[in-house]
Amino acid sequence: MVGSTDESTSGDCSSEGAGRRDLTRLAVGAMGVVFGDIGTSPLYALRDTFAGRHPLPLDSLHIHGIVSLMFWSMLIMVTLKYMIVLMRADNRGEGGSLALLALINREATEKRWGHGVILLGVFATALFYGDSMITPAVSVMGAIEGVAVYRPELHYAVMPLVVAILIGLFLFQARGTERVAAFFGPIMLCYFATIAVLGLVSVIGNPRVIVALSPHHAVAMFMADPWRGFLAMGAAVLAVTGAEALYADMGHFGRIPIRMSWLTLVLPALVLNYLGQAALLLRNPAALESPFYLLAPHWFQWPLLILASLAAIIASQAVISGAFSVTQQAIQLGFIPRLAIRHTSKAAGQIYIPSVNQALMIAVIILVLVFQRSTNLTATYGVAVTGAMLIDNLLLAVVLFRLWHWNPVPAAALLALFFAVDALYLGANLTKVPDGGWVPLLMGGVIFVLLTTWSRGRQLLRKHMAATGIPLEVFTKSAHSSATRVPGTAVFMASATAGVPSALLHNMKHNKVLHERVVLMTVQIEDTPVVDPASRAVVRDFGNGFYRMTLRFGFLEGTDVPAALREVALGGQPFDMMRTSFFLSRQTLLPSDKPAMAQWRERLFAWMLRNSASAMEFFRLPTNRVVELGSQIRM
């Protein structure tokens, strides 16, 4: 009896120890992916509040006030809003605006939410793309500018070095991040520990700066200088940029490891570093040139430059990978045309989208060449971030009141706090519009038009095809007796779950043959990230060798049709890929006398349709088993 108890206890301890090791590993990994953006903000955030477009006086009142504002913004916007509240609103473990939108659509008991909520989620996604273009540029530039701080005579090398690093970073994407992902966490762990120690040493030299953590210093600054304080919020928001990434990347690590990393190391390190920079500026105002780098003693300046540059590259890598993930979600949910997606490893989420990578690289290089300095580029930063944060509040309001049914009083109070803070930051950042803030708004607007045009065009195209379709029951009765049957299986890909696809009709019309087994297949993307493999395929037998099959995938899963078919048997017979042919339809849109949407949008949709990836590539169909039949349509 005693032996049994000891054995059980030992097993529990071992299991608990393994669980703690896994949690620690995930927490360290989260530092390398989730916190790269917000972690590199000390490179430029405090500096730009006093040397940016709307500089504050470099005195005790404003230094204490800005540090207080940054600290309480991190507590309210990052810790309370994202870490505690929004991370509870996950869609089967996944986060982000699109995942939150899918959660609302799936869980809402009343009528599906209309265009208002959908457009909010889509616009937040469009703003994220704007942010993903700016983050690599400002992070890498802010880090490499340390070269000119330490060696002014090398200032000419900053721009070529930044461009070279960014080009190398984007070219590396095709190889995948799995090989270096294991190093990201330890590097960022070293980075956060370093900036914490540097900040702590500076604070020890002026311990009175700790009083800046009191909220009354932020209030005092606004009371004494309200207009300048409001404008300075446009730069102070740089301290919380990347907060939205915490929610979007939740599916990779889970909420507990992310919270653990934030509360135990990342937040304390950021606070210590901002306090250290403030103490340095109080002692030596001339350090405003770069308070981050000048915190380091002379012997440690170049190692700090290398470490900060690595952190900036990691921050950029995280945003680029996030852009790939968001694009995959948008494709699966029907907001972006099919694009070629390459899975760089067996790990979930390790994907590479060549067209998105190329577009991002061009946009980032243009931003670097146009704005030249990180100080100029931070004028564009913040508008997209605060806009996306405000939209997250609106979606959160739907979740609190309609899905979670919170008590209206505390829910309204919490939302009022979030709306007040985000609205103030958005308002302050809108003052940047003439100085470059229009860049992410323009990018977001263009992407929003593309996303909504594709979604609307697909709806109209499906409606047209459904209206002109023939019921499968009617077709099977006539086709069975009027066509020659040949050996093998024919799979006709269909976007609708009713009617006969045009490829099958064209095949009958021109070839006048039918295979022994005819499968009408529709691929559906569910509102959940992952679908249980046991419920992947739904098959209906219409007799005479005709079947209608629906394959279901989660919006984070790769749509590998051949792999799914290997798990399916029709009439007791498995699929043999060497005896299976896939028939695809490709539609060409013709100008309509009475277009269902504006003519320019119809032309835009037609262009997107022509340039979308082939269904063969998107569904990973074997190239030597595909037949493509075209048709012309007037919507």
Side-chain angles (χ1 to χ4, degrees):
M1 185 69 176
V2 173
S4 175
T5 302
D6 289 342
E7 182 179 351
S8 176
T9 303
S10 175
D12 290 344
C13 290
S14 176
S15 176
E16 183 179 348
R20 288 178 178 175
R21 286 193 297 271
D22 289 341
L23 183 60
T24 302
R25 178 180 56 82
L26 288 172
V28 173
M31 293 180 195
V33 176
V34 177
F35 298 106
D37 192 358
I38 196 170
T40 54
S41 294
L43 286 166
Y44 44 76
L46 191 63
R47 179 198 67 193
D48 283 0
T49 58
F50 296 99
R53 296 286 180 172
H54 304 290
L56 289 175
L58 194 59
D59 55 31
S60 177
L61 171 69
H62 292 90
I63 291 175
H64 284 90
I66 285 298
V67 172
S68 177
L69 177 63
M70 289 179 170
F71 173 68
W72 285 97
S73 295
M74 286 190 287
L75 284 186
I76 294 173
M77 299 174 70
V78 182
T79 307
L80 179 59
K81 177 182 173 181
Y82 282 97
M83 290 289 176
I84 296 178
V85 180
L86 259 175
M87 278 192 175
R88 294 183 58 202
D90 66 290
N91 185 12
R92 308 287 175 86
E94 296 295 332
S97 298
L98 285 179
L100 184 57
L101 182 62
L103 171 69
I104 293 173
N105 273 331
R106 191 184 78 244
E107 298 294 339
T109 55
E110 60 266 31
K111 184 179 178 181
R112 304 281 280 192
W113 292 88
H115 284 296
V117 172
I118 293 175
L119 291 180
L120 284 175
V122 174
F123 190 58
T125 302
L127 291 176
F128 173 82
Y129 281 109
D131 181 34
S132 65
M133 297 173 191
I134 297 173
T135 295
V138 72
S139 297
V140 174
M141 193 179 297
I144 301 303
E145 283 173 347
V147 172
V149 174
Y150 297 153
R151 292 287 181 86
E153 66 273 16
L154 296 179
H155 70 277
Y156 66 89
V158 171
M159 287 297 297
L161 191 56
V162 169
V163 172
I165 289 174
L166 288 171
I167 291 176
L169 176 63
F170 282 102
L171 291 179
F172 177 78
Q173 299 304 310
R175 302 183 63 183
T177 60
E178 186 179 36
R179 295 180 182 178
V180 296
F183 297 100
F184 285 0
I187 290 174
M188 292 304 294
L189 178 62
C190 180
Y191 168 79
F192 284 121
T194 299
I195 66 173
V197 171
L198 291 175
L200 179 61
V201 171
S202 180
V203 169
I204 292 174
N206 184 7
R208 285 180 55 83
V209 76
I210 296 177
V211 300
L213 299 183
S214 171
H216 87 273
H217 284 284
V219 175
M221 180 185 69
F222 282 105
M223 293 292 289
D225 201 351
W227 179 241
R228 282 184 175 178
F230 173 72
L231 293 178
M233 292 183 72
V237 74
L238 298 174
V240 294
T241 55
E244 73 286 356
L246 307 176
Y247 181 44
D249 288 330
M250 181 172 60
H252 295 289
F253 299 96
R255 65 169 66 93
I256 294 178
I258 291 176
R259 287 173 178 169
M260 179 178 172
S261 296
W262 173 252
L263 295 174
T264 59
L265 181 59
V266 178
L267 177 60
L270 293 175
V271 172
L272 281 173
N273 194 262
Y274 285 126
L275 286 173
Q277 291 187 42
L280 175 63
L281 292 176
L282 288 171
R283 292 194 304 267
N284 178 20
L288 183 60
E289 179 187 6
S290 182
F292 176 83
Y293 281 114
L294 294 177
L295 277 178
H298 180 74
W299 62 269
F300 192 65
Q301 289 178 345
W302 287 102
L304 178 61
L305 173 63
I306 295 172
L307 186 59
S309 299
L310 290 174
I313 292 171
I314 292 171
S316 303
Q317 175 63 61
V319 175
I320 295 168
S321 300
F324 293 157
S325 298
V326 168
T327 300
Q328 184 185 35
Q329 292 186 35
I331 292 171
Q332 306 291 51
L333 294 175
F335 292 110
I336 292 180
R338 288 190 300 260
L339 299 175
I341 299 177
R342 300 178 188 173
H343 289 254
T344 57
S345 77
K346 295 180 180 180
Q350 294 285 337
I351 61 173
Y352 167 64
I353 306 180
S355 55
V356 173
N357 189 66
Q358 184 179 14
L360 280 178
M361 181 177 70
I362 294 172
V364 170
I365 298 301
I366 290 175
L367 286 173
V368 168
L369 296 178
V370 169
F371 287 92
Q372 295 288 313
R373 295 186 60 198
S374 63
T375 299
N376 298 331
L377 200 53
T378 53
T380 71
Y381 212 22
V383 179
V385 173
T386 52
M389 288 180 173
L390 192 64
I391 291 174
D392 283 343
N393 290 341
L394 296 170
L395 296 177
L396 177 61
V398 177
V399 172
L400 292 184
F401 289 112
R402 298 298 184 185
L403 270 60
W404 293 350
H405 305 290
W406 273 29
N407 186 307
V409 175
L414 190 65
L415 288 170
L417 175 63
F418 294 158
F419 273 113
V421 175
D422 287 339
L424 283 172
Y425 270 115
L426 178 60
N429 277 277
L430 288 177
T431 64
K432 296 180 178 180
V433 171
D435 298 320
W438 56 269
V439 172
L441 291 179
L442 177 62
M443 293 176 177
V446 170
I447 294 172
F448 179 75
V449 169
L450 292 173
L451 297 180
T452 53
T453 297
W454 179 255
S455 178
R456 176 61 175 161
R458 284 181 73 250
Q459 292 175 2
L460 293 173
L461 188 60
R462 287 186 173 185
K463 183 178 179 181
H464 172 83
M465 295 178 68
T468 57
I470 301 174
L472 182 58
E473 294 85 349
V474 176
F475 176 82
T476 55
K477 292 179 181 179
S478 59
H480 171 63
S481 57
S482 60
T484 302
R485 306 300 287 258
V486 295
T489 301
V491 177
F492 292 88
M493 306 296 294
S495 58
T497 56
V500 179
S502 59
L504 178 53
L505 296 175
H506 281 75
N507 185 58
M508 278 286 295
K509 178 180 179 180
H510 296 289
N511 298 325
K512 297 179 176 58
V513 296
L514 286 173
H515 288 70
E516 289 176 337
R517 293 195 302 181
V518 177
V519 181
L520 278 61
M521 179 183 295
T522 300
V523 175
Q524 287 186 347
I525 308 301
E526 302 297 323
D527 288 344
T528 56
V530 179
V531 169
D532 182 0
S535 59
R536 175 86 65 201
V538 178
V539 181
R540 181 182 175 187
D541 188 350
F542 282 82
N544 296 322
F546 287 91
Y547 302 86
R548 183 176 290 282
M549 179 185 299
T550 301
L551 289 181
R552 301 166 60 245
F553 294 90
F555 63 78
L556 282 183
E557 293 183 283
T559 48
D560 192 336
V561 168
L565 290 180
R566 294 188 188 100
E567 307 300 324
V568 180
L570 294 181
Q573 299 181 11
F575 276 88
D576 181 358
M577 286 296 111
M578 297 305 298
R579 291 173 53 83
T580 301
S581 299
F582 295 88
F583 290 81
L584 309 178
S585 301
R586 177 171 284 274
Q587 292 81 25
T588 300
L589 295 185
L590 299 178
S592 176
D593 296 332
K594 296 181 179 180
M597 55 183 176
Q599 288 187 353
W600 67 268
R601 293 189 72 190
E602 189 174 85
R603 294 192 187 98
L604 178 60
F605 175 71
W607 174 80
M608 296 172 75
L609 188 64
R610 287 194 304 271
N611 289 277
S612 62
S614 168
M616 176 185 68
E617 190 173 6
F618 186 75
F619 295 125
R620 306 186 200 177
L621 305 179
T623 56
N624 60 342
R625 308 300 304 172
V626 173
V627 179
E628 193 169 276
L629 301 172
S631 60
Q632 296 180 333
I633 295 177
R634 295 180 188 271
M635 287 197 302

